[in-house]
Amino acid sequence: MLKVAPEIEESWKLSLEDAFKTESFRALKLFLKEEVKHYTVYPPGKFMFNAFNLTPLTAVKVVIIGQDPYHGRGQAHGLSFSVPDGVSIPPSLKNIYKELHNDIGIPIPKTGNLENWARQGILLLNATLSVRAQQAGSHQRKGWEEFTDSAIRMVSELRSGVVFLLWGKYAQDKENLINIRKHYVLKAPHPSPFSANRGFFGCRHFSKTNEILRQNGLCEIDWNPQ
């Protein structure tokens, strides 16, 4: 499932070299090796590091932190909130699209595939990068969080002017990993149907992100994933 040296984009491979050598990552590899013997695990191994491979550390402009991969068949492909083309758009992403439409007028997309965002410098990072089929949260506290926390720290240390979109308490608890003197943090409730009406709708994070990027002389994000 996870090789000794996972196939990961070069700038991430160099910056996360120490994270790959930790005891928690070794334990994670052993755990996953046993998991795949007995259960279906999502996403497929080739997509576990998709967020890193589509968004090199050297290109990161925005970070959106999720919690777990989707646990339904064919949904997870290594990007937070995203699903492959042809897969039904999950409820949280539907609400993200509603806010996107209300904020900057983009028509509601027909695809849930956010690879276009990732290729523009949006790191779509789940805190946990795998899950047992049909069992949400089943791979939490197995070592992934330590690894992805290291990735967030690397963005904070090695980049500047990055916009972190922290939606919901789980993502907001990661704020302590971010140097807020050199980065921008925008917070809102999670886009889940259970909380979107408590302040996610109306947060205008998409236009605010582009305004920050524009002020820093960077290309704005084309938020249309199609």
Coordinates of all heavy atoms in Angstrom, one line a residue, residues 45-109:
G45 N -4.4 3.0 -3.8 CA -3.0 3.5 -3.4 C -2.4 4.5 -4.3 O -1.8 5.5 -3.9
K46 N -2.7 4.4 -5.6 CA -2.1 5.4 -6.6 C -2.6 6.8 -6.4 O -2.0 7.8 -6.9 CB -2.3 4.9 -8.0 CG -3.8 4.9 -8.4 CD -3.9 4.4 -9.9 CE -5.4 4.4 -10.3 NZ -5.5 4.0 -11.7
F47 N -3.8 7.0 -5.7 CA -4.3 8.3 -5.5 C -4.1 8.8 -4.0 O -4.5 10.0 -3.8 CB -5.9 8.2 -5.7 CG -6.2 8.0 -7.2 CD1 -7.1 7.0 -7.6 CD2 -5.7 8.8 -8.2 CE1 -7.4 6.8 -8.9 CE2 -6.0 8.7 -9.5 CZ -6.9 7.6 -9.9
M48 N -3.5 8.1 -3.2 CA -3.4 8.5 -1.8 C -2.6 9.9 -1.6 O -3.0 10.7 -0.8 CB -2.7 7.5 -0.9 CG -3.7 6.4 -0.5 SD -3.0 5.3 0.8 CE -4.3 4.1 0.9
F49 N -1.6 10.1 -2.5 CA -0.9 11.3 -2.4 C -1.2 12.3 -3.6 O -0.4 13.1 -4.0 CB 0.6 11.0 -2.4 CG 1.1 10.2 -1.2 CD1 1.2 8.9 -1.2 CD2 1.3 10.9 0.0 CE1 1.6 8.2 -0.1 CE2 1.7 10.3 1.1 CZ 1.9 8.9 1.1
N50 N -2.4 12.1 -4.1 CA -2.9 12.9 -5.2 C -2.8 14.4 -5.0 O -2.4 15.2 -5.8 CB -4.3 12.6 -5.6 CG -4.6 12.7 -7.1 OD1 -3.7 12.8 -7.9 ND2 -5.9 12.7 -7.4
A51 N -3.1 14.8 -3.7 CA -3.1 16.3 -3.4 C -1.7 16.8 -3.6 O -1.5 18.0 -4.1 CB -3.6 16.5 -2.0
F52 N -0.7 16.1 -3.2 CA 0.7 16.5 -3.3 C 1.2 16.4 -4.7 O 1.9 17.3 -5.2 CB 1.6 15.6 -2.4 CG 1.2 15.6 -0.9 CD1 0.5 14.5 -0.4 CD2 1.5 16.7 -0.1 CE1 0.1 14.5 0.9 CE2 1.2 16.7 1.2 CZ 0.4 15.6 1.8
N53 N 0.8 15.4 -5.4 CA 1.3 15.3 -6.8 C 0.7 16.3 -7.8 O 1.3 16.7 -8.7 CB 1.0 13.8 -7.3 CG 1.9 12.8 -6.6 OD1 3.0 13.1 -6.1 ND2 1.3 11.6 -6.4
L54 N -0.6 16.7 -7.5 CA -1.2 17.7 -8.4 C -0.8 19.2 -8.0 O -0.9 20.1 -8.8 CB -2.7 17.6 -8.3 CG -3.3 16.3 -9.0 CD1 -4.8 16.3 -8.9 CD2 -2.9 16.3 -10.5
T55 N -0.4 19.3 -6.7 CA -0.1 20.7 -6.2 C 1.3 20.6 -5.5 O 1.4 20.4 -4.3 CB -1.1 21.2 -5.2 OG1 -2.4 20.9 -5.7 CG2 -0.9 22.7 -4.9
P56 N 2.4 20.9 -6.3 CA 3.7 20.9 -5.7 C 3.8 21.9 -4.6 O 3.1 23.0 -4.6 CB 4.6 21.3 -6.9 CG 3.9 20.9 -8.1 CD 2.4 21.1 -7.8
L57 N 4.6 21.6 -3.6 CA 4.8 22.6 -2.5 C 5.2 24.0 -3.0 O 4.8 25.0 -2.5 CB 5.9 22.1 -1.5 CG 6.3 23.0 -0.4 CD1 5.1 23.3 0.5 CD2 7.4 22.3 0.4
T58 N 6.0 24.0 -4.1 CA 6.5 25.2 -4.6 C 5.4 26.0 -5.3 O 5.6 27.2 -5.6 CB 7.6 24.9 -5.7 OG1 7.1 24.0 -6.6 CG2 8.9 24.4 -5.0
A59 N 4.2 25.4 -5.5 CA 3.1 26.1 -6.2 C 2.0 26.4 -5.3 O 1.0 27.1 -5.7 CB 2.6 25.2 -7.4
V60 N 2.0 26.1 -4.0 CA 0.9 26.2 -3.1 C 0.5 27.7 -2.9 O 1.4 28.5 -2.5 CB 1.1 25.5 -1.8 CG1 -0.1 25.8 -0.8 CG2 1.2 24.0 -2.0
K61 N -0.7 28.1 -3.2 CA -1.2 29.4 -2.9 C -2.4 29.4 -2.0 O -2.6 30.4 -1.3 CB -1.7 30.1 -4.3 CG -0.6 30.3 -5.3 CD -1.0 31.2 -6.4 CE -2.1 30.6 -7.3 NZ -2.4 31.4 -8.5
V62 N -3.1 28.3 -1.9 CA -4.3 28.2 -1.1 C -4.3 26.8 -0.5 O -3.9 25.8 -1.2 CB -5.6 28.4 -1.9 CG1 -6.8 28.3 -1.0 CG2 -5.6 29.7 -2.6
V63 N -4.8 26.6 0.7 CA -4.9 25.3 1.4 C -6.3 25.2 1.9 O -6.9 26.0 2.6 CB -3.9 25.1 2.5 CG1 -4.2 23.8 3.2 CG2 -2.5 25.3 2.1
I64 N -7.0 24.1 1.5 CA -8.3 23.7 2.0 C -8.2 22.4 2.7 O -7.8 21.4 2.1 CB -9.4 23.7 0.9 CG1 -9.5 25.0 0.2 CG2 -10.7 23.2 1.5 CD1 -10.5 25.0 -1.0
I65 N -8.5 22.4 4.0 CA -8.3 21.2 4.8 C -9.6 20.5 5.1 O -10.5 21.0 5.5 CB -7.6 21.6 6.2 CG1 -6.2 22.2 5.9 CG2 -7.5 20.3 7.1 CD1 -5.6 22.8 7.2
G66 N -9.6 19.2 4.7 CA -10.7 18.3 5.0 C -10.3 17.3 6.1 O -9.2 17.3 6.6
Q67 N -11.2 16.4 6.4 CA -10.9 15.5 7.5 C -10.6 14.1 7.0 O -9.5 13.6 7.2 CB -12.1 15.4 8.4 CG -11.9 14.6 9.7 CD -12.9 14.9 10.8 OE1 -13.8 15.7 10.6 NE2 -12.9 14.2 11.9
D68 N -11.5 13.4 6.3 CA -11.4 12.1 5.8 C -11.7 12.0 4.3 O -12.5 12.8 3.8 CB -12.4 11.1 6.5 CG -11.9 10.7 7.9 OD1 -10.7 10.4 8.0 OD2 -12.8 10.7 8.8
P69 N -11.1 11.0 3.6 CA -11.6 10.7 2.3 C -13.1 10.2 2.4 O -13.5 9.7 3.4 CB -10.7 9.5 1.8 CG -9.5 9.6 2.7 CD -10.0 10.1 4.0
Y70 N -13.8 10.3 1.3 CA -15.1 9.7 1.2 C -15.0 8.2 1.3 O -14.0 7.6 0.7 CB -15.8 10.1 -0.2 CG -16.0 11.6 -0.3 CD1 -15.4 12.3 -1.4 CD2 -16.9 12.3 0.5 CE1 -15.7 13.7 -1.5 CE2 -17.1 13.6 0.3 CZ -16.5 14.3 -0.7 OH -16.8 15.7 -0.8
H71 N -16.0 7.6 1.9 CA -15.8 6.1 2.1 C -16.7 5.3 1.2 O -16.9 4.1 1.4 CB -16.1 5.8 3.6 CG -17.4 6.3 4.1 ND1 -18.6 5.7 3.9 CD2 -17.7 7.4 4.8 CE1 -19.5 6.4 4.5 NE2 -19.0 7.4 5.0
G72 N -17.4 5.9 0.2 CA -18.2 5.2 -0.7 C -17.4 4.8 -2.0 O -16.3 5.4 -2.3
R73 N -17.8 3.7 -2.6 CA -17.1 3.2 -3.8 C -16.9 4.3 -4.9 O -17.9 4.9 -5.3 CB -17.8 2.0 -4.3 CG -17.1 1.3 -5.5 CD -17.8 0.1 -6.0 NE -17.1 -0.6 -7.1 CZ -17.5 -1.7 -7.6 NH1 -18.6 -2.3 -7.2 NH2 -16.8 -2.2 -8.7
G74 N -15.7 4.5 -5.4 CA -15.5 5.4 -6.5 C -15.5 6.8 -6.2 O -15.3 7.7 -7.0
Q75 N -15.7 7.2 -4.9 CA -15.7 8.6 -4.5 C -14.4 9.2 -4.3 O -14.1 10.3 -4.8 CB -16.6 8.8 -3.3 CG -18.1 8.5 -3.4 CD -18.8 8.8 -2.2 OE1 -18.5 8.2 -1.1 NE2 -19.8 9.7 -2.2
A76 N -13.5 8.6 -3.5 CA -12.3 9.2 -3.1 C -11.2 9.1 -4.1 O -11.0 8.0 -4.7 CB -11.8 8.5 -1.8
H77 N -10.5 10.2 -4.4 CA -9.4 10.2 -5.3 C -8.3 11.1 -4.8 O -7.5 11.6 -5.6 CB -9.8 10.5 -6.7 CG -10.3 11.9 -7.0 ND1 -10.0 12.5 -8.2 CD2 -11.0 12.7 -6.3 CE1 -10.6 13.7 -8.2 NE2 -11.2 13.9 -7.0
G78 N -8.2 11.3 -3.5 CA -7.0 11.9 -2.9 C -7.1 13.4 -2.8 O -6.1 14.0 -2.4
L79 N -8.2 14.1 -3.0 CA -8.4 15.5 -2.9 C -9.6 15.8 -2.0 O -10.7 15.2 -2.2 CB -8.7 16.1 -4.3 CG -7.6 15.9 -5.4 CD1 -8.1 16.5 -6.7 CD2 -6.3 16.4 -5.0
S80 N -9.4 16.6 -1.0 CA -10.5 17.0 0.0 C -11.6 17.6 -0.8 O -11.5 18.4 -1.7 CB -10.0 17.9 1.0 OG -9.5 19.1 0.5
F81 N -12.8 17.1 -0.4 CA -14.1 17.6 -0.9 C -14.4 17.1 -2.4 O -15.5 17.3 -2.9 CB -14.3 19.1 -0.8 CG -14.3 19.6 0.6 CD1 -13.2 20.1 1.2 CD2 -15.5 19.4 1.4 CE1 -13.3 20.6 2.5 CE2 -15.5 19.8 2.7 CZ -14.4 20.4 3.3
S82 N -13.4 16.6 -3.1 CA -13.5 16.3 -4.5 C -13.9 14.9 -4.8 O -13.6 14.0 -4.0 CB -12.2 16.6 -5.2 OG -12.2 16.3 -6.6
V83 N -14.6 14.6 -5.9 CA -14.9 13.3 -6.4 C -14.6 13.3 -7.9 O -14.6 14.3 -8.6 CB -16.4 12.9 -6.2 CG1 -16.7 12.7 -4.7 CG2 -17.3 13.9 -6.8
P84 N -14.3 12.1 -8.4 CA -14.0 12.0 -9.9 C -15.2 12.4 -10.7 O -16.3 12.4 -10.3 CB -13.6 10.5 -10.0 CG -13.3 10.0 -8.7 CD -14.1 10.8 -7.7
D85 N -14.9 12.7 -12.0 CA -16.0 12.9 -12.9 C -17.0 11.8 -13.0 O -16.6 10.6 -12.9 CB -15.4 13.1 -14.3 CG -14.6 14.4 -14.4 OD1 -15.1 15.5 -13.9 OD2 -13.5 14.4 -15.1
G86 N -18.2 12.1 -13.1 CA -19.2 11.0 -13.2 C -19.8 10.5 -11.9 O -20.8 9.8 -11.9
V87 N -19.2 11.0 -10.8 CA -19.7 10.6 -9.4 C -20.6 11.7 -8.9 O -20.3 12.9 -9.1 CB -18.5 10.3 -8.5 CG1 -18.9 10.0 -7.1 CG2 -17.6 9.2 -9.0
S88 N -21.7 11.3 -8.3 CA -22.6 12.2 -7.7 C -21.9 13.2 -6.8 O -21.1 12.8 -6.0 CB -23.7 11.5 -7.0 OG -24.5 10.7 -7.8
I89 N -22.3 14.5 -6.9 CA -21.6 15.5 -6.0 C -22.1 15.4 -4.6 O -23.3 15.4 -4.3 CB -22.0 16.9 -6.6 CG1 -21.4 17.0 -8.0 CG2 -21.4 18.0 -5.7 CD1 -21.8 18.3 -8.8
P90 N -21.2 15.2 -3.6 CA -21.6 15.0 -2.2 C -22.2 16.3 -1.7 O -22.0 17.4 -2.2 CB -20.3 14.7 -1.5 CG -19.4 14.2 -2.6 CD -19.8 15.0 -3.8
P91 N -23.0 16.2 -0.6 CA -23.7 17.4 0.0 C -22.8 18.5 0.3 O -23.2 19.7 0.1 CB -24.4 16.8 1.2 CG -24.6 15.3 0.9 CD -23.4 14.9 0.1
S92 N -21.7 18.3 1.0 CA -20.8 19.4 1.4 C -20.3 20.2 0.1 O -20.3 21.4 0.1 CB -19.6 19.0 2.2 OG -20.1 18.5 3.5
L93 N -20.0 19.4 -0.9 CA -19.5 20.1 -2.1 C -20.6 20.8 -2.8 O -20.4 21.9 -3.4 CB -18.9 19.1 -3.1 CG -18.2 19.6 -4.3 CD1 -17.2 20.7 -4.0 CD2 -17.5 18.5 -5.1
K94 N -21.8 20.3 -2.7 CA -23.0 21.1 -3.3 C -23.1 22.4 -2.6 O -23.4 23.4 -3.3 CB -24.3 20.3 -3.1 CG -24.4 19.1 -4.0 CD -25.8 18.4 -3.8 CE -26.0 17.2 -4.8 NZ -27.3 16.5 -4.5
N95 N -22.9 22.4 -1.3 CA -23.0 23.7 -0.6 C -21.8 24.6 -0.9 O -22.0 25.9 -0.9 CB -23.1 23.5 0.9 CG -24.4 22.9 1.3 OD1 -25.4 23.1 0.6 ND2 -24.5 22.3 2.5
I96 N -20.6 24.1 -1.1 CA -19.5 24.9 -1.6 C -19.8 25.5 -2.9 O -19.6 26.7 -3.1 CB -18.2 24.0 -1.7 CG1 -17.7 23.6 -0.3 CG2 -17.1 24.7 -2.5 CD1 -16.6 22.5 -0.3
Y97 N -20.5 24.8 -3.8 CA -20.8 25.3 -5.1 C -21.9 26.4 -5.0 O -21.9 27.4 -5.7 CB -21.3 24.2 -6.0 CG -20.2 23.3 -6.6 CD1 -20.5 22.1 -7.3 CD2 -18.9 23.7 -6.5 CE1 -19.5 21.3 -7.8 CE2 -17.9 22.9 -7.0 CZ -18.2 21.7 -7.7 OH -17.2 20.9 -8.2
K98 N -22.8 26.2 -4.0 CA -23.9 27.3 -3.8 C -23.2 28.6 -3.4 O -23.6 29.6 -3.9 CB -24.9 26.8 -2.8 CG -25.8 25.7 -3.2 CD -26.8 25.3 -2.1 CE -27.7 24.1 -2.5 NZ -28.5 23.7 -1.4
E99 N -22.3 28.5 -2.4 CA -21.6 29.7 -2.0 C -20.7 30.3 -3.1 O -20.7 31.5 -3.2 CB -20.8 29.4 -0.7 CG -19.9 30.5 -0.2 CD -20.7 31.7 0.2 OE1 -21.9 31.6 0.5 OE2 -20.1 32.8 0.2
L100 N -20.1 29.4 -3.8 CA -19.3 29.9 -5.0 C -20.2 30.7 -6.0 O -19.8 31.8 -6.4 CB -18.7 28.7 -5.7 CG -17.7 28.9 -6.8 CD1 -16.5 29.7 -6.4 CD2 -17.3 27.5 -7.4
H101 N -21.4 30.2 -6.2 CA -22.3 30.9 -7.1 C -22.7 32.2 -6.6 O -22.7 33.2 -7.2 CB -23.5 30.0 -7.4 CG -24.6 30.6 -8.2 ND1 -24.4 30.9 -9.6 CD2 -25.8 31.1 -7.8 CE1 -25.5 31.5 -10.0 NE2 -26.3 31.7 -8.9
N102 N -23.1 32.2 -5.3 CA -23.6 33.4 -4.7 C -22.5 34.4 -4.5 O -22.8 35.6 -4.5 CB -24.2 33.1 -3.3 CG -25.5 32.3 -3.4 OD1 -26.2 32.4 -4.4 ND2 -25.8 31.5 -2.4
D103 N -21.3 34.0 -4.3 CA -20.2 34.9 -4.1 C -19.7 35.5 -5.4 O -19.6 36.7 -5.5 CB -19.0 34.1 -3.4 CG -17.8 35.0 -3.0 OD1 -17.9 36.2 -3.1 OD2 -16.8 34.4 -2.6
I104 N -19.4 34.7 -6.4 CA -18.8 35.3 -7.6 C -19.5 34.9 -8.9 O -19.0 35.2 -10.0 CB -17.3 34.8 -7.7 CG1 -17.1 33.3 -7.7 CG2 -16.5 35.4 -6.6 CD1 -15.7 32.9 -7.9
G105 N -20.7 34.3 -8.7 CA -21.6 34.2 -9.9 C -21.3 33.0 -10.8 O -21.9 32.9 -11.9
I106 N -20.4 32.1 -10.4 CA -20.1 30.9 -11.3 C -21.3 30.0 -11.3 O -21.9 29.7 -10.2 CB -18.9 30.2 -10.8 CG1 -17.6 31.0 -11.1 CG2 -18.8 28.8 -11.4 CD1 -16.3 30.4 -10.6
P107 N -21.7 29.6 -12.5 CA -22.9 28.6 -12.6 C -22.5 27.4 -11.8 O -21.4 27.0 -11.7 CB -23.0 28.3 -14.0 CG -22.4 29.5 -14.7 CD -21.2 30.0 -13.8
I108 N -23.5 26.7 -11.2 CA -23.3 25.5 -10.4 C -22.7 24.5 -11.3 O -23.3 24.1 -12.3 CB -24.6 25.0 -9.8 CG1 -25.3 26.0 -8.9 CG2 -24.4 23.7 -9.0 CD1 -24.5 26.4 -7.7
P109 N -21.5 24.0 -11.0 CA -20.8 23.0 -11.8 C -21.5 21.7 -11.9 O -22.2 21.3 -10.9 CB -19.4 22.9 -11.2 CG -19.2 24.1 -10.4 CD -20.6 24.5 -9.9

